[in-house]
Amino acid sequence: MEVGTVQLGTSFASLRSAPANRNLTRRRASRRPRGPPSGSWGTAIATVAAERGLEVFLWSRNSNHLEEIENLKENKRYLPGVSIPNTIKLTNDLKTASKSDILACVIPSTGIRHFAEDISSIGLRKDSVILSCTKGIERSTGLRMTEIIEDNLPNNIAAVLSGPNHAEEVGKKLATAAVIGCKNTKIAKEIQSIFSLPWFRTYTSDDVAGIELGGAVKNIYAICAGISDGLGLGCLLYTSPSPETVL
């Protein structure tokens, strides 16, 4: 599978192999990713993909915002100080995602279902992979992000990218790490090949549920740990594997 296009945006983005890097592209899957929103994290992910010699499409519903990014070559609203390379193309046409090899969804968790429904309606290719870069659990159903995606796009493989990441640090190329979760280990390795740089290290796992739940509840655990420290109860309370101990 050679990756041809990746799409990212305020709601999704897309990356395509640049002509100067055709050999690099042939070693990857011929998938065209469409992905994250043109917010801070979507923009940061897009710059990572662009570093791999791929042409990236960054999508947003807000055409004025896209025009601002195009003029400044910078997402000044959400990721100031990070240059947007010319290999990242801007679009507000969601239909371009229908040709994606990889569609990266980087939108708030409250909007993931609506976005998945929109993607389903445009006729996405059955061999397209959908990469969730969103942390959270749907309040009304308790479903994880990839479960929502699979509900609406049952014929497509869903994967997740998650980690202790900050968009501004990724944009500045500071050392960071993330994990690619997918039940299909071959697909996970192919996505890893796109999102791997000297300063951006990715690992793979088939524990999709564990990755998503960890990303969604990490702050809750952190708050509990802080309360425990404040009460002088030590670290055993919040590191014990026993639910009774934690309670």
Side-chain angles (χ1 to χ4, degrees):
M1 181 182 79
E2 289 188 2
V3 175
T5 306
V6 178
Q7 212 146 351
L8 314 142
T10 298
S11 294
F12 85 85
S14 153
L15 311 174
R16 296 182 184 175
S17 52
N21 293 286
R22 292 188 187 277
N23 292 334
L24 175 65
T25 304
R26 291 195 190 99
R27 293 198 296 269
R28 301 198 191 121
S30 60
R31 297 185 173 271
R32 304 170 183 224
R34 299 281 188 281
S38 56
S40 59
W41 186 221
T43 302
I45 288 292
T47 61
V48 171
E51 287 279 343
R52 298 297 290 159
L54 299 175
E55 184 180 14
V56 183
F57 285 81
L58 188 66
W59 174 88
S60 174
R61 289 188 174 90
N62 190 332
S63 57
N64 291 331
H65 183 207
L66 292 178
E67 185 177 355
E68 180 183 302
I69 295 174
E70 179 65 33
N71 292 334
L72 298 175
K73 291 301 178 185
E74 177 185 356
N75 191 343
K76 204 168 186 64
R77 295 189 193 181
Y78 301 111
L79 198 62
V82 175
S83 297
I84 305 295
N86 291 328
T87 49
I88 296 180
K89 309 301 181 183
L90 308 176
T91 180
N92 63 354
D93 184 5
L94 192 59
K95 291 182 180 179
T96 58
S98 64
K99 300 177 182 179
S100 303
D101 295 312
I102 299 175
L103 173 65
C105 301
V106 190
I107 58 178
S109 58
T110 53
I112 198 79
R113 181 173 292 279
H114 181 63
F115 183 70
E117 291 170 351
D118 287 347
I119 291 296
S120 176
S121 69
I122 65 174
L124 188 66
R125 284 169 25 197
K126 291 183 179 180
D127 62 341
S128 294
V129 175
I130 304 160
L131 179 65
S132 170
C133 303
T134 300
K135 296 176 182 177
I137 296 173
E138 190 173 44
R139 180 176 296 181
S140 60
T141 65
L143 294 177
R144 295 175 280 108
M145 299 298 101
T146 57
E147 290 178 316
I148 297 172
I149 291 169
E150 290 167 345
D151 266 0
N152 290 276
L153 296 148
N155 296 319
N156 296 89
I157 292 176
V160 59
L161 183 153
S162 186
N165 312 127
H166 289 267
E168 67 278 8
E169 294 183 355
V170 173
K172 294 175 181 177
K173 301 182 180 181
L174 300 181
T176 191
V179 62
I180 305 291
C182 186
K183 296 173 185 176
N184 185 315
T185 55
K186 182 172 183 275
I187 295 296
K189 292 290 185 183
E190 290 169 348
I191 298 173
Q192 181 189 35
S193 71
I194 298 173
F195 297 101
S196 290
L197 292 163
W199 47 269
F200 192 87
R201 176 72 180 269
T202 53
Y203 300 84
T204 62
S205 171
D206 60 2
D207 184 13
V208 178
I211 293 169
E212 291 190 291
L213 291 174
V217 304
K218 68 183 188 312
N219 291 341
I220 298 172
Y221 286 135
I223 292 170
C224 293
I227 293 172
S228 176
D229 277 344
L231 293 173
L233 299 177
C235 64
L236 181 62
L237 181 68
Y238 54 85
T239 58
S240 171
S242 168
E244 292 82 5
T245 304
V246 174
L247 291 175

